[in-house]
Every structure is written in C-alpha cells, then in structure tokens.
Amino acid sequence: MMEQEVRYMKLAIDMAKQMVGQTSPNPKVGAVVVRDGEIVGIGAHMKAGEDHAEVHALNMAGDKANGATMFVTLEPCSHFGKTPPCANLVIDRGISRIYVATLDPNPVVAGRGVERLKQAGIDVHIGLLEEEATELNPFFNHFMKTSLPYVTLKAASSLDGKTATTTGESKWITGEEARRDVHHSRQEHDAILVGVQTIIEDDPQLTTRLPFGGKNPTRIILDTHLRIPRSAKVLNDREAQTLIITGSQVAMDQIEEIQSEYVQVIKLEAESIQIRSLLERMATIGITSIYVEGGATVHASFVKERCFQQLITYLAPKIIGGFTSPSIIGGAGIKYMDEAVDLQTISFEQIGDDLKIVSVLKEG
Ligand code: NDP
Ligand code: ZN
C-alpha cells in the first residue's frame, strides 16, 4: 500500500525537479491527484507569479478531484500572495486526503496551510519522502530561515589545487563537460558573483550558455573603486543585468557615467565591501542565491567571513605545480590547523575526465 503512495510522491518530486532554475524566488513544487488508483491530475509550479502546482493538478483533475487523494511536495500555501491560497482551493475542490512531504520552511507560516486543511476535515499526512522533498529547495529553504541568500563557491583547479600557471594562464584547466556543468549551476542561481580582477584579466560573459539556452542570472561584480574596464562584456553585451558593488568613496558622476538599462551601481556605505552586509543588501533586492566564481581573492573573503553554504570544486587530472601559481582560495591564510574551515563532502562524481566534489559548510 505504502509503495503506491511513495510512487505518487516521487512523481510529484520528479516534476518539481525539472523546474530547476525557473521558479525563483519561489520554491520548486510538484503535485499529483489520484482517484481510485488512477492519476487524474499532475502539475508543477513553473514560474513565480504563475499558478502553483496544486492549481495545475486540480484543474486537470476537474470534477474527479472530488473525493480524491492529493500528493504535494510542499505544504499548500495559506496566504494571499500573487495568487489565492492553494489550501482553500484544495478544500473547495473536495480533496478528501492529502500527503504533504514538507512543511513551509518559513517558521512564521509553517503548519498554517496544513491546519486549515485539517479544520476542513481533510485527512492530512505529513512527512512522506520528506528528505527528498527538502532537498528540492536548498536555496529557498535557506533564504526562508536566514533571510540571506544561499552562497555557492565554485572553483576549478588542477589536482594539485592550482587555478592558473605562474604566468596567469588558466584556459582551460577543466574539460568541456565540466564547463557545461558550470552553466547548469549558473542557471540554478539568482546571481553570479566575481571580483573585478577576474573581469580585468578574463573579461568573461558570465551568462548561461546551454544547448536549449537558459536563464541568465544577475551578474554581480565586487569593485570597490569602480576600476572595471568600460569595454568589459558585462557592461556592454545587454545579455543580463549587471550589478557593480562599490565602496562609499566612488564619485556620483563616475557612477552615472557607467549606469544604463542593464548596468546598475550599488554604492555601499562603508569604504570596503563586507561580505555579510553585501549579502543582507542582496536579499533586499530579492536575490536568494549566489554562485561565486572567484577569483581566489573573492573566495578568500567569503571563506574568512564563513559566508557560504557549499563549495563546488572541479578537479582536473593535471599537475601545474609552482609555489607562485595561484590556488582556489587566496587571502592571508591561517596560522594554525584549528582555524581551518571544516567542510563535509556530500557528493563526488566524475564529469568527463574531471572530478566534481560538492562540500557543505558544517553548521554551528
Ligand atoms: P578577484 O577576481 O578575486 O578580484 C579581487 C578584487 O575584487 C580585489 O582585488 C578587489 O579589488 C575586489 N574586491 C572588492 N571587494 C572585495 C572583497 N570583499 N573581497 C575580495 N575582493 C574584493 O581577483 P584574483 O586576482 O584573486 O583572481 C583573478 C584571477 O583568478 C584571474 O586571473 C582569473 O583568471 C582567475 N580565476 C580563475 C578561476 C578558476 O576557477 N580557475 C575562476 C575565476 C577567476 P578592489 O579593491 O579594486 O575592489
Ligand atoms: Zn499555493
């Protein structure tokens, strides 16, 4: 019996999973309606501002929703947002039993949707495939709990941890497959962040280039004194929004000269850029996740302030060597081993010839 329920919830999770990169700032959610052992409605939330998963699935089910069982990966909403509350719709359409994988991660509203369903006499079951459903939305969950964007540090290096040669040459260390994987990660995040030195030396586009296109995240450049070359691609290609973060000392006329429909300068109140306050500021403009692509100096700042949740490392089976060639994290380093940042590796896989390692910061 339980096997059937697991199968339906898996279907809901699978549909949600496919919406990677397109629902932010909303979570990925899937829903399935089952009546007499027959799937009569399926749906996923596809885009913020558009119908929630429950609405799609219930509309598809039509009259058959009456007396049916529903499977949904996230607690139905109970507030009027851009769309009316799904909990009301579930009740109105006559669903008699519902399986909810996870409660709303926002502690302020968690349980409210479920409460409303229970009050209406619906048989509510919470926690089926909870872990898988939680893993659908690490960025959303983190943002709801902390009000700060989820930060991924990304680095690509040789097996000996080097990101460039002694003369600074770095193209390419990893293979094509690994570089394509980076484009998948880009489109999952709301923003990509680099230091101005990376712009000066590499002039990257920082866009998502996949066979079917893809969403371009906002590009964030840390540039205390507005040193960015006026010819930089991120200023001129009009492919995505670019946000340049500067310190307080940059003159207004310099800022006005660089701003355009696609380029915005955010001048912070401090003379230098503190990562923690930067993240707070980014949260206020709706950025819920950031993919930090380096360079080593910028990575070092995020590590020093412990302002990241995961590190994705691509290791290429090459040896570069050399005391002066850069490694993935720069900065001043530490003196004692007990100051080292402890991570926990959650996955590793071979991509082409390279190794992808995903590690998360140990909490607390
Ligand atoms: P970064 O790209 O890390 O830029 C560092 C600069 O960013 C700083 O000098 C500073 O300039 C500015 N900045 C502003 N605020 C901060 C802050 N809070 N923390 C850190 N930096 C801040 O420079 P790197 O020289 O370390 O790296 C650039 C090199 O790295 C390039 O050669 C590039 O090719 C390589 N690279 C390699 C990658 C790889 O995966 N292999 C990925 C990305 C880059 P200012 O004071 O003027 O604001
Ligand atoms: Zn809803």
Side-chain angles (χ1 to χ4, degrees):
M1 184 56 185
M2 207 56 193
E3 244 173 61
Q4 286 278 41
E5 281 112 359
V6 166
R7 184 187 132 213
Y8 295 133
M9 188 62 88
K10 270 213 165 90
L11 174 60
I13 291 173
D14 282 345
M15 281 188 294
K17 225 180 241 172
Q18 301 308 320
M19 301 306 146
V20 60
Q22 58 180 66
T23 61
S24 183
N26 286 351
K28 305 193 260 311
V29 185
V32 172
V33 179
V34 179
R35 168 85 182 261
D36 300 328
E38 187 188 358
I39 295 173
V40 292
I42 54 174
H45 179 49
M46 290 187 272
K47 201 176 167 128
E50 293 181 2
D51 284 341
H52 290 182
E54 299 93 318
V55 178
H56 287 299
L58 287 168
N59 285 349
M60 193 185 290
D63 291 345
K64 290 181 178 165
N66 199 1
T69 299
M70 187 165 201
F71 296 83
V72 57
T73 59
L74 183 69
E75 175 176 12
C77 61
S78 57
H79 61 280
F80 279 88
K82 287 181 183 141
T83 54
C86 292
N88 294 15
L89 189 70
V90 170
I91 296 164
D92 294 347
R93 295 292 176 88
I95 291 290
S96 59
R97 179 182 298 159
I98 188 167
Y99 287 85
V100 175
T102 57
L103 294 182
D104 193 308
N106 183 345
V108 183
V109 294
R112 284 200 194 168
V114 155
E115 210 40 55
R116 187 170 302 176
L117 299 173
K118 280 184 183 161
Q119 274 166 11
I122 297 178
D123 180 19
V124 182
H125 299 256
I126 301 162
L128 178 63
L129 299 189
E130 184 174 10
E131 211 179 308
E132 288 91 327
T134 304
E135 281 168 9
L136 278 174
N137 296 300
F139 304 167
F140 175 79
N141 296 341
H142 177 81
F143 190 75
M144 281 298 150
K145 281 186 199 135
T146 64
S147 300
L148 291 173
Y150 184 102
V151 175
T152 301
L153 304 185
K154 167 250 161 180
S157 77
S158 58
L159 264 191
D160 56 329
K162 301 294 187 182
T163 59
T165 66
T166 51
T167 58
E169 205 180 296
S170 64
K171 284 193 173 84
W172 294 106
I173 293 172
T174 50
E176 210 171 294
E177 290 98 328
R179 299 205 307 274
R180 174 170 302 179
D181 193 65
V182 166
H183 285 258
H184 283 288
S185 287
R186 281 183 177 170
Q187 88 157 348
E188 283 177 36
H189 291 78
D190 288 343
I192 301 174
L193 183 148
V194 298
V196 68
Q197 202 59 40
T198 293
I199 300 290
I200 292 169
E201 288 174 34
D202 297 354
D203 194 18
Q205 291 168 264
L206 304 178
T207 53
T208 301
R209 298 186 298 282
L210 290 167
F212 285 95
K215 180 207 73 180
N216 284 332
T218 298
R219 301 174 288 201
I220 302 173
I221 320 297
L222 303 191
D223 185 6
T224 322
H225 308 281
L226 212 55
R227 293 196 285 136
I228 189 167
R230 302 315 188 244
S231 61
K233 290 195 183 104
V234 294
L235 294 184
N236 299 290
D237 67 6
R238 303 168 77 89
E239 294 282 342
Q241 291 292 323
T242 299
L243 284 184
I244 302 175
I245 315 297
T246 75
S248 58
Q249 62 281 51
V250 174
M252 273 323 282
D253 55 336
Q254 258 190 300
I255 290 177
E256 278 158 17
E257 175 213 326
I258 217 167
Q259 291 202 118
S260 70
E261 191 188 334
Y262 286 88
V263 180
Q264 196 194 338
V265 178
I266 295 185
K267 181 170 155 174
L268 298 178
E269 275 165 22
E271 280 192 7
S272 63
I273 302 169
Q274 304 306 310
I275 303 302
R276 168 89 197 186
S277 39
L278 169 75
L279 295 182
E280 286 166 2
R281 185 72 183 263
M282 294 300 98
T284 66
I285 57 169
I287 291 179
T288 66
S289 58
I290 305 181
Y291 189 57
V292 181
E293 295 206 42
T297 308
V298 159
H299 277 153
S301 291
F302 279 83
V303 170
K304 189 163 180 225
E305 293 193 41
R306 303 285 195 277
C307 280
F308 70 102
Q309 278 60 55
Q310 69 172 347
L311 168 67
I312 301 182
T313 319
Y314 297 91
L315 287 181
K318 287 190 175 82
I319 295 170
I320 293 179
F323 283 116
T324 57
S325 40
S327 55
I328 59 181
I329 315 288
I334 55 168
K335 284 196 178 125
Y336 308 105
M337 262 332 274
D338 63 5
E339 296 168 15
V341 180
D342 280 326
L343 304 180
Q344 189 177 357
T345 294
I346 56 168
S347 73
F348 51 89
E349 76 184 286
Q350 188 169 342
I351 299 189
D353 290 331
D354 305 317
L355 188 61
K356 176 187 184 182
I357 304 173
V358 180
S359 313
V360 294
L361 192 61
K362 279 193 185 163
E363 299 295 342

